[in-house]
Amino acid sequence: MSSTSQKHKEFVAEPMGEKLVNALAGIGEVLGKRLEEKGFDKAYVVLGQFLVLKKDEELFRDWLKDTCGANVKQQGDCYGCLREWCDSFL
Amino acid sequence: MAALRNKSDQEIKDLLNEYGIKHGPLVDTTRPLYEKKLKEAMAKAKVPVTKPSPDRTFYREDQEEVTYVTYQTPVRSEGPSGDGKPYMRSRPEYSERDRVDDKPYSRSRPEYSERDRVDDKPYSRSRPEYSERDRVDDKLYSRSRPEYSSGRPYVDEPHVYNTLSSSSYSKPTPVVKSGGGVVKKENTTSSGRLIPLWIQFLVFLILAGFLYFIFTNMESAESSPFNRIQ
């Protein structure tokens, strides 16, 4: 039984548009800042990376960990959020 | 071979295919990730030569399981890699004990897991760990790990009755006679197999009280001549 957070639900409910990277589930202030420093300032840029990694879970998780130091839970939340968004809108 | 940075995209892709690493297009944002994966895969390829020997000396019985785990550690070094290996080693050992424990005490496991659920509130995590280790430590692994020996300080007191707490399957009943009836009943009603920690504690308290009672009786015997004089 997956328990998705409020953030997750809000994100997957609509097209992401110009939402900031903080809007992603699992990405809070600290991780968001790190991602922005690396150039991933908007959610769609992270989406781009997700797609370039062929939506593969392991690759995306590793990439997220390397880029902003996300822990296992955060990686999972972000991955799930993006995957579900893609299922609905891509 | 070490200068992955200098290789062309095509070479990196070829290497990824060679190691069987699933990958997407090689872009500037994905390149560092793939380089890292290749580095890990190369390090892992060297692992079989050096790793298994220290682990084999550690475990006589279940070598395969341990070496399997050490294969995983280079790939999934989530936390500090230095801590990763001993930590991972203790994990299979923990699950290994699960299996190994099964042989002498074939009934113990299901009861124990039941117990786990029953006693969930006060002793959720640390307790079952402790009591499980406690049992196995006594039986099979004579060279006890430091964590286990440090985890039994309060058992040391009744040194004569050390076996009481450590292997509390059938032994407590002959040792503790006065509280034996109570203990036995508690045993059969609650688990019948692995006695949970709170029962052990209770037995220990009863025993300590019993000893104290005997001790005070002894003292009173000694003091009787004093009474006489007075």
Side-chain angles (χ1 to χ4, degrees):
Chain A
M1 217 167 97
S2 64
S3 53
T4 53
S5 64
Q6 188 59 33
K7 221 172 167 187
H8 174 106
K9 288 178 189 153
E10 282 176 6
F11 191 84
V12 302
E14 54 180 8
M16 63 175 81
E18 297 293 319
K19 280 185 189 170
L20 291 175
V21 78
N22 290 351
L24 285 165
I27 306 296
E29 222 178 287
V30 176
L31 296 184
K33 196 156 223 85
R34 290 181 193 163
L35 281 171
E36 281 171 19
E37 283 168 9
K38 296 271 175 86
F40 297 88
D41 53 345
K42 294 284 173 107
Y44 62 72
V45 188
V46 179
L47 172 71
Q49 184 67 12
F50 177 68
L51 297 173
V52 157
L53 291 170
K54 297 192 154 188
K55 302 195 241 173
D56 179 67
E57 180 166 5
E58 199 188 318
L59 286 175
F60 183 71
R61 277 176 178 259
D62 285 347
W63 172 81
L64 202 60
K65 189 181 84 173
D66 289 344
T67 310
C68 63
N71 65 29
V72 177
K73 184 179 183 307
Q74 291 162 332
Q75 295 163 20
D77 288 346
C78 191
Y79 169 76
C81 176
L82 281 172
R83 196 194 55 207
E84 222 177 287
W85 188 93
C86 286
D87 289 346
S88 304
F89 299 103
L90 201 57
Chain B
M1 279 305 259
L4 285 172
R5 297 271 160 83
N6 299 334
K7 292 199 187 292
S8 73
D9 287 356
Q10 189 56 46
E11 285 175 339
I12 298 277
K13 276 192 201 168
D14 292 339
L15 280 170
L16 283 168
N17 291 333
E18 195 183 306
Y19 283 97
I21 297 170
K22 204 169 46 163
H23 63 96
L26 204 64
V27 196
D28 11 323
T29 51
T30 57
R31 187 165 169 134
L33 176 69
Y34 294 141
E35 280 176 10
K36 183 182 147 233
K37 281 196 167 271
L38 276 175
K39 214 185 292 180
E40 285 172 2
M42 286 177 183
K44 188 180 153 183
K46 289 178 194 163
V47 162
V49 181
T50 53
K51 282 295 166 179
S53 35
D55 284 327
R56 276 196 191 141
T57 56
F58 204 82
Y59 290 107
R60 300 179 295 264
E61 295 188 7
D62 304 293
Q63 299 163 14
E64 292 169 1
E65 304 275 349
V66 177
T67 52
Y68 173 72
V69 170
T70 54
Y71 266 94
Q72 281 184 351
T73 45
V75 177
R76 299 205 49 91
S77 52
E78 295 243 340
S81 57
D83 282 343
K85 283 151 201 171
Y87 179 72
M88 287 298 279
R89 219 180 282 151
S90 65
R91 279 281 191 77
E93 180 197 312
Y94 182 77
S95 58
E96 277 321 306
R97 288 179 172 210
D98 222 355
R99 261 165 252 134
V100 173
D101 198 20
D102 226 346
K103 290 157 198 166
Y105 308 106
S106 54
R107 304 169 293 169
S108 54
R109 282 293 135 221
E111 286 288 352
Y112 180 71
S113 55
E114 268 181 38
R115 195 81 318 236
D116 208 4
R117 264 160 241 140
V118 171
D119 281 347
D120 217 11
K121 286 149 202 174
Y123 308 99
S124 55
R125 261 162 293 174
S126 58
R127 288 304 176 194
E129 245 179 17
Y130 172 82
S131 49
E132 185 184 2
R133 270 190 240 146
D134 213 359
R135 245 157 240 94
V136 180
D137 197 18
D138 193 36
K139 298 293 163 189
L140 300 160
Y141 299 95
S142 54
R143 41 177 179 160
S144 56
R145 319 187 104 224
E147 33 179 323
Y148 298 152
S149 56
S150 68
R152 335 152 73 168
Y154 68 88
V155 175
D156 276 341
E157 266 192 43
H159 198 67
V160 181
Y161 299 96
N162 202 10
T163 54
L164 174 79
S165 316
S166 58
S167 60
S168 47
Y169 291 102
S170 55
K171 284 192 183 168
T173 45
V175 174
V176 180
K177 277 161 196 172
S178 64
V182 180
V183 172
K184 210 170 187 179
K185 272 182 193 163
E186 282 179 334
N187 273 350
T188 52
T189 50
S190 34
S191 66
R193 196 148 333 268
L194 270 176
I195 298 162
L197 199 62
W198 66 273
I199 284 183
Q200 285 183 18
F201 212 67
L202 192 68
V203 165
F204 172 73
L205 281 174
I206 291 169
L207 181 68
F210 189 57
L211 286 174
Y212 180 75
F213 189 70
I214 292 171
F215 195 67
T216 47
N217 282 341
M218 281 166 64
E219 273 186 333
S220 62
E222 281 177 6
S223 63
S224 53
F226 285 84
N227 284 337
R228 252 211 214 159
I229 289 166
Q230 282 180 351

